Amino acid sequence: MNTETIKEKLEQALTLDVCIVKGESGTFQVIAVSEMFIDMSRVKKQQTIYAHLADDIATNAIHALTIKALTPDEWQKQKHFI
């Protein structure tokens, strides 16, 4: 599993304004920005991302995943710190 594969899966499955994937050796960080996250709880946002990577998590191709799922407004406020 590599960062480009994860990014492609997420971009094909979801309408994302920004999709940044970093990591290696099964440990990855995802930053996903979309208006679809408006009115979602933080847990629901993360579940939305996890749902599209569940098979890779189940096979241990991804064994550690950190997710920041943000609305465009949240991204504007936080992108300077990421």
Side-chain angles (χ1 to χ4, degrees):
M1 180 62 55
N2 62 50
T3 57
E4 284 303 313
T5 302
I6 294 170
K7 183 175 180 171
E8 287 174 16
K9 283 186 177 197
L10 294 175
E11 287 179 335
Q12 287 176 3
L14 304 168
T15 304
L16 301 174
D17 299 328
V18 177
C19 184
I20 300 169
V21 181
K22 297 179 182 179
E24 61 186 7
S25 303
T27 302
F28 298 97
Q29 303 83 39
V30 171
I31 299 171
V33 179
S34 177
E35 289 186 9
M36 69 183 287
F37 298 131
I38 294 172
D39 295 327
M40 282 188 191
S41 69
R42 186 170 60 120
V43 171
K44 184 65 178 167
K45 291 176 188 179
Q46 291 179 350
Q47 288 173 336
T48 301
I49 300 297
Y50 275 119
H52 299 288
L53 301 174
D55 291 341
D56 299 307
I57 294 167
T59 63
N60 211 30
I62 298 173
H63 67 263
L65 183 63
T66 303
I67 298 172
K68 285 191 180 261
L70 308 166
T71 66
D73 287 342
E74 291 168 334
W75 174 242
Q76 288 302 315
K77 294 174 185 173
Q78 294 185 28
K79 71 180 178 180
H80 303 291
F81 302 106
I82 297 174

